[in-house]
Amino acid sequence: MSNLLISEIFFSLNGEGLEIGKPTVFVRLSGCNLDCSWCDTKYADHNATEKNIDEILEEIEKCGNDINSVLITGGEPLTQDIEPLVDILHRKQYDIAIETNGSVYKDILLKIDFISVDIKTPSSNNETNDLTVFNKIVNAIKIRKGQMKAVITDRRDYNFLKKFIQENSFNVPLIIQPCWGKLSYKELCEMYINYPINHDDVRVLLQIHKLGEIK
């Protein structure tokens, strides 16, 4: 059974998207295949500890017997072999979510209960352009459950997202959130109110963990 490079494991509240406010154990894996300009977890690339599945599970269980939700995040978790971890968490009856940057597809997503995939806007310096991979992830969301998520820094980002949604058919929820410290929630709301995105299920949200100053 392969080991995983772990940045940190901790208990908190999910701060964004459809799972907002949900008590969750975060398993942050180290390493990412992208280097987004506004990434708020760059530290995950540098403080990696190799752990086996039993060690990871022990840390998760220390967070409390009443917590049954685990979010696998990063970094980019799909750059590592997470299947053994997913399998044992399901055997332990945990509800499993994952955050992925949209550039990597693996069939393990079909075992995940909730998938959050990024639409990378131009300000990230890694804008989403591989629609083959992205469509595979969206199809996994349709089979399971989940959301697309886009971080908006400015009007250019917003226009990119609007065009991206107009030109492609993604029948899954879309979360739009302002880049913390770069764009206010009010400014983003005004963009949407004045120039709505034509999508059936849109939520314009904040990252409440940053608003509440919690990890």
Side-chain angles (χ1 to χ4, degrees):
M1 188 176 291
S2 61
N3 294 346
L4 295 172
L5 292 176
I6 301 293
S7 171
E8 56 185 346
I9 298 173
F10 61 95
F11 168 64
S12 189
L13 302 175
N14 197 318
E16 54 192 37
L18 297 179
E19 302 263 85
I20 201 165
K22 186 176 183 178
T24 300
V25 177
F26 290 74
V27 179
R28 188 178 306 284
L29 275 63
S30 182
C32 187
N33 60 322
L34 301 181
D35 184 21
C36 294
S37 61
W38 35 249
C39 178
D40 57 3
T41 56
K42 287 185 183 295
Y43 63 86
D45 288 340
H46 307 295
N47 61 333
T49 302
E50 188 172 335
K51 296 181 184 292
N52 62 42
I53 301 302
D54 290 337
E55 291 171 327
I56 297 169
L57 185 61
E58 182 180 359
E59 287 197 44
I60 292 171
E61 291 176 338
K62 282 181 180 178
C63 292
N65 294 328
D66 295 331
I67 310 303
N68 67 351
S69 179
V70 173
L71 173 60
I72 304 173
T73 185
E76 173 47 58
L78 292 180
T79 60
Q80 298 190 52
D81 180 13
I82 63 171
E83 187 161 8
L85 176 61
V86 169
D87 287 343
I88 196 166
L89 288 175
H90 270 151
R91 288 200 296 273
K92 295 286 185 176
Q93 297 188 333
Y94 282 96
D95 185 69
I96 307 169
I98 192 170
E99 292 180 330
T100 180
N101 63 30
S103 68
V104 180
Y105 173 82
K106 288 185 178 179
D107 284 339
I108 186 59
L109 289 175
L110 297 173
K111 292 185 177 183
I112 303 291
D113 300 298
F114 188 92
I115 304 161
S116 181
V117 59
D118 292 343
I119 300 172
K120 295 295 186 184
T121 52
S123 65
S124 71
N125 296 328
N126 287 295
E127 65 182 56
T128 300
N129 54 29
D130 190 338
L131 289 178
T132 299
V133 169
F134 192 83
N135 270 301
K136 286 182 178 180
I137 299 172
V138 169
N139 285 336
I141 292 173
K142 291 177 181 178
I143 294 169
R144 305 295 292 177
K145 188 180 178 183
Q147 65 191 21
M148 304 179 293
K149 184 181 67 180
V151 173
I152 305 298
T153 295
D154 51 28
R155 185 60 185 272
R156 180 180 175 223
D157 280 355
Y158 187 83
N159 289 342
F160 171 87
L161 176 63
K162 186 175 174 68
K163 184 180 180 190
F164 187 84
I165 296 298
Q166 284 175 340
E167 293 180 349
N168 301 283
S169 179
F170 304 118
N171 188 25
V172 298
L174 171 65
I175 308 301
I176 310 172
Q177 61 191 41
C179 185
W180 189 258
K182 302 289 186 181
L183 186 73
S184 73
Y185 183 61
K186 180 181 180 181
E187 288 170 323
L188 179 57
C189 288
E190 287 174 347
M191 284 184 195
Y192 184 82
I193 290 168
N194 291 322
Y195 306 97
I197 291 174
N198 184 20
H199 188 70
D200 288 339
D201 193 351
V202 179
R203 318 289 172 89
V204 183
L205 298 176
L206 279 166
Q207 294 173 295
I208 62 166
H209 60 295
K210 293 182 178 179
L211 189 66
E213 297 181 343
I214 63 170
K215 187 172 179 65

